[in-house]
Amino acid sequence: MSAQRPGDPDPGLTNIRSRLQNYSDLGNVMAGVNLPNVKGAEAMDKLHEHGYFKDGCLKLLSLLEKVENFPADLLECIRDYNRSFKQSQEKPAVPEQATETQLHARTDGSAATPPQEVAAISAPAAAETLTPARNDQQLTVARDTSAIRERAAAAAPADARGTETNRAAPTPQTGLLTRLCANSYVLFAIAAVVLAAIIWQCLEYKVASLNKQGLNYYNKGQYNEALQRFEDALRVYPGWLGEQPSKAATYNNMGNVYHSKAEYDKSLQMFENALRIR
């Protein structure tokens, strides 16, 4: 049987039917419509009977998109045909035509005039008579509105007008003061950070100096003087700073001094204090 049917005058549809009929894995396609053993032209007839070639092959396109490894060129050909079919179905809207001649009876009982002629005759006259009057009326309203606004502005007190002007436009001095205040806050914060860093460095330097003096006395065997320097180093930091790492070194030095003095309980206590800080 031929691939073209007598009722298929569309060459695009004929091409699709012919290529699909010659597709090597047509049985896989027909399995989608529960007819896996139908092949050739008979398969095309079955698809036609089930409406797969109607409405721009929309139903056929949905079927073939689900088939694995289906030729992309044939699938694109069917999509093009479907798009062309949709465009052909979109017809431009045609304005409705009057089916009956509506006649407007004249007041004197003479022959009626079709509405198209009435509109053609009356339109220029209406344009000549109504448009200037409407424009003049709009100009009059605009002039009256402008006059009312001018009288209201003139009647307003001078102090009120000056207040509105000052409120709308801030003076340059006000803007400069605002910028100076903002910059002052920034400078104050920077100065506070720098000052805190300087104080911290001074405290660290004093603690290191006292520890060094205590070690010198310890090496000389002057244990009491060494303990005095270490205790001074512990008192350098204010209490609100909490335990600092440098205190651990001081406690460790004091533990060594007590150990040398054979005061082992105090020595153990100092070492425990150092461990808690570290």
Side-chain angles (χ1 to χ4, degrees):
M1 294 178 65
S2 172
Q4 182 175 359
R5 292 173 56 87
D8 294 337
D10 190 344
L13 184 59
T14 303
N15 179 41
I16 292 173
R17 288 173 53 88
S18 178
R19 295 180 62 181
L20 184 59
Q21 179 178 334
N22 296 326
Y23 177 48
S24 59
D25 197 10
L26 182 59
N28 188 21
V29 176
M30 298 306 295
V33 293
N34 298 324
L35 296 171
N37 297 324
V38 181
K39 300 180 180 180
E42 183 181 1
M44 298 299 102
D45 294 338
K46 292 294 183 182
L47 291 176
H48 189 277
E49 292 175 3
H50 287 79
Y52 282 89
F53 293 106
K54 294 182 180 180
D55 299 330
C57 298
L58 180 61
K59 190 175 180 181
L60 179 64
L61 182 60
S62 300
L63 173 64
L64 297 180
E65 286 177 344
K66 300 176 183 178
V67 178
E68 295 183 0
N69 301 324
F70 190 80
D73 56 342
L74 179 53
L75 196 61
E76 188 62 30
C77 178
I78 299 174
R79 290 196 184 101
D80 292 339
Y81 178 78
N82 180 262
R83 285 192 289 267
S84 301
F85 178 81
K86 289 181 180 179
Q87 292 175 1
S88 65
Q89 297 299 314
E90 296 175 358
K91 296 181 180 180
V94 179
E96 297 181 357
Q97 300 294 334
T99 57
E100 298 180 359
T101 305
Q102 300 177 354
L103 301 179
H104 297 265
R106 297 177 180 174
T107 57
D108 57 359
S110 58
T113 305
Q116 293 83 354
E117 297 181 7
V118 173
I121 294 172
S122 60
E128 293 176 0
T129 57
L130 296 179
T131 302
R134 188 181 298 110
N135 292 338
D136 293 341
Q137 184 178 5
Q138 293 176 353
L139 292 175
T140 303
V141 172
R143 285 196 294 270
D144 293 343
T145 304
S146 300
I148 292 172
R149 290 177 180 175
E150 291 176 358
R151 287 196 295 270
D159 294 340
R161 292 197 299 271
T163 303
E164 290 295 331
T165 303
N166 294 335
R167 185 184 305 167
T171 60
Q173 291 81 359
T174 303
L176 179 60
L177 181 60
T178 303
R179 289 194 296 270
L180 288 176
C181 291
N183 294 334
S184 298
Y185 292 143
V186 175
L187 293 175
F188 177 77
I190 295 174
V193 172
V194 173
L195 181 61
I198 293 174
I199 293 175
W200 182 262
Q201 291 295 328
C202 292
L203 294 177
E204 289 287 333
Y205 176 79
K206 188 172 183 179
V207 169
S209 177
L210 290 172
N211 277 321
K212 187 176 181 180
Q213 294 177 21
L215 289 175
N216 290 332
Y217 283 116
Y218 172 74
N219 293 329
K220 293 179 181 179
Q222 300 176 3
Y223 302 128
N224 292 330
E225 287 80 358
L227 286 175
Q228 184 64 40
R229 297 297 183 275
F230 293 144
E231 290 175 356
D232 292 342
L234 291 177
R235 287 191 292 267
V236 168
Y237 290 107
W240 53 269
L241 283 178
E243 301 293 344
Q244 300 300 321
S246 58
K247 281 188 176 182
T250 304
Y251 280 126
N252 188 70
N253 293 335
M254 293 176 70
N256 292 329
V257 173
Y258 282 122
H259 185 271
S260 299
K261 293 176 67 176
E263 298 180 14
Y264 302 115
D265 292 338
K266 293 183 178 179
S267 176
L268 181 60
Q269 182 65 38
M270 295 299 108
F271 290 141
E272 290 177 352
N273 293 339
L275 288 176
R276 278 197 299 269
I277 296 175
R278 293 181 179 181

